[in-house]
Amino acid sequence: MVEIDRGEIDTSATVAERSVKVDEPDTRGRLILRDRAIARIATTAALEVPGVVVQRGGLTRITGRDLPRADISTGSHSVAVNLYLGVQWPCDVPELTRRVHRKVGDQVETLTGMPLHQLGVFIAGTETETAGDDDSEYPAPAPADAVAAPRPPTAAPAAVPAAVSIAVGFLALGAIAARELLISRGTLPGAPWLRNTFEWAGRQHWHHWLVFAALAALALGILLVLLALAPRTRTHMPVRADSDTPTVWLRPVDVARLCSVEAGSVAGVAGVHTTVDRRRATVHVTAQPDAPTDDLRTSVETTVGDALAPLDRKLKLRVKIRRGKSRT
């Protein structure tokens, strides 16, 4: 008589079922995309857009803050990207931004399989266009898909120095408390600092100088609260695109370069220098000896004014002209 072990038959069937499941793609493991890989995809796609350049040198070699670079924020079902680019200047910033949105958005969604929640573009550096560049060979950019705009770039909060000082104070207090604990257990020799300090404070009596100390502490507390609530200063100027929400910001130095390039293209201008602050743009023009001053001023104001029109913040334009020295 031959006995059949039912358990062995069931076990072999289970192994067969498992072998079938292994062949299914969704049972072979899982794919994890690191933020560094997504950042490489975004920066590589941005470099394929005409006008975006690589910028290295200076302090970037030490800090590793080369351009382009990307800050990635991934969620469970989507990804957000902030791109910091270096561009050839002068350039049409809105058109360049639409190219970057289209190219980077397509590459990120295609290669990662995750939808792009938002894509912000920051012009963090400019590079003067060389003589051999020709933008006519590039095709017209396709319209970019609508994306949500990130928060505008701002300076560090005003409360940062106070917060750092308070944090250092708490770290020092923690180190002193650890020393007190070791002294109380006999691990370290020496006199306790906190206990002696508290005993000394307990033996003190009222003095008139305490009034001024209390007022100074009150004023310091109010100052710290105001610093904590103060809004952060905006460091860039928004550029109006097709949508109402700006997605591109320029530094004041980039706006100044734009004004200088546009003013330098006017006939009769021998040299130009521009300064830009929060309210106005001042163009200092050196005119050629034979150029009429009034006509030159009008031409520069018209040309530079058209260049500043895409800015969301209206700057007061002021043109100062001085006559250049004639060459004999």
Side-chain angles (χ1 to χ4, degrees):
M1 176 180 292
V2 179
E3 295 182 358
I4 300 177
D5 192 346
R6 299 293 181 181
E8 293 182 0
I9 294 177
D10 295 340
T11 303
S12 62
T14 304
V15 173
E17 292 176 357
R18 291 178 180 176
S19 63
V20 172
K21 291 183 179 180
V22 169
D23 293 336
E24 298 178 2
D26 57 350
T27 61
R28 297 175 186 174
R30 59 175 181 168
L31 175 64
I32 299 177
L33 285 175
R34 301 293 185 186
D35 291 350
R36 182 171 54 183
I38 301 177
R40 178 62 63 87
I41 293 173
T43 54
T44 302
L47 285 175
E48 296 179 4
V49 177
V52 179
V53 296
V54 177
Q55 284 195 343
R56 296 190 179 95
L59 293 178
T60 58
R61 295 181 179 178
I62 302 176
T63 60
R65 307 293 282 176
D66 296 341
L67 298 178
R69 70 177 187 271
D71 291 340
I72 307 299
S73 177
T74 55
S76 57
H77 302 290
S78 61
V79 60
V81 180
N82 278 345
L83 272 176
Y84 298 85
L85 304 180
V87 300
Q88 286 183 347
W89 202 260
C91 70
D92 191 336
V93 175
E95 290 188 6
L96 178 66
T97 305
R98 285 192 289 269
R99 295 182 184 181
V100 172
H101 274 298
R102 182 61 178 268
K103 187 67 176 180
V104 175
D106 291 345
Q107 290 291 327
V108 170
E109 293 184 353
T110 300
L111 298 181
T112 65
M114 293 188 297
L116 187 62
H117 174 65
Q118 68 179 26
L119 173 61
V121 179
F122 300 87
I123 306 300
T126 56
E127 182 175 293
T128 304
E129 187 176 6
T130 58
D133 293 332
D134 184 12
D135 290 337
S136 60
E137 61 181 351
Y138 301 136
D145 296 332
V147 294
R151 290 178 297 180
T154 54
V160 167
V164 173
S165 301
I166 294 173
V168 172
F170 276 111
L171 291 176
L173 182 61
I176 294 174
R179 177 183 179 276
E180 297 287 323
L181 177 62
L182 295 177
I183 290 176
S184 64
R185 294 190 174 185
T187 306
L188 288 180
W193 293 344
L194 295 179
R195 186 180 64 186
N196 295 340
T197 301
F198 293 150
E199 291 178 354
W200 172 83
R203 293 193 299 268
Q204 299 303 311
H205 300 283
W206 174 258
H207 295 281
H208 294 290
W209 61 267
L210 292 177
V211 176
F212 300 99
L215 293 177
L218 179 62
L220 179 60
I222 295 175
L223 177 61
L224 294 179
V225 171
L226 293 178
L227 289 178
L229 298 178
R232 298 173 62 177
T233 303
R234 295 194 176 186
T235 57
H236 292 58
M237 298 181 182
V239 178
R240 286 198 306 267
D242 294 339
S243 60
D244 295 334
T245 304
T247 58
V248 179
W249 291 266
L250 295 178
R251 299 175 302 173
V253 64
D254 297 324
V255 178
R257 291 173 180 173
L258 173 63
C259 295
S260 297
V261 170
E262 295 295 333
S265 64
V266 177
V269 174
V272 60
H273 173 69
T274 305
T275 57
V276 176
D277 55 24
R278 294 178 58 87
R279 296 183 177 180
R280 71 171 57 87
T282 304
V283 183
H284 303 270
V285 175
T286 301
Q288 296 178 359
D290 56 346
T293 303
D294 296 336
D295 295 342
L296 184 60
R297 184 188 304 274
T298 303
S299 300
V300 171
E301 289 178 350
T302 302
T303 303
V304 177
D306 293 340
L308 295 178
L311 292 179
D312 189 58
R313 182 193 304 171
K314 294 298 183 181
L315 295 178
K316 183 179 179 181
L317 179 60
R318 183 169 57 181
V319 178
K320 295 183 177 181
I321 299 179
R322 66 185 183 91
R323 185 72 60 179
K325 296 181 180 179
S326 59
R327 297 181 180 180
T328 58

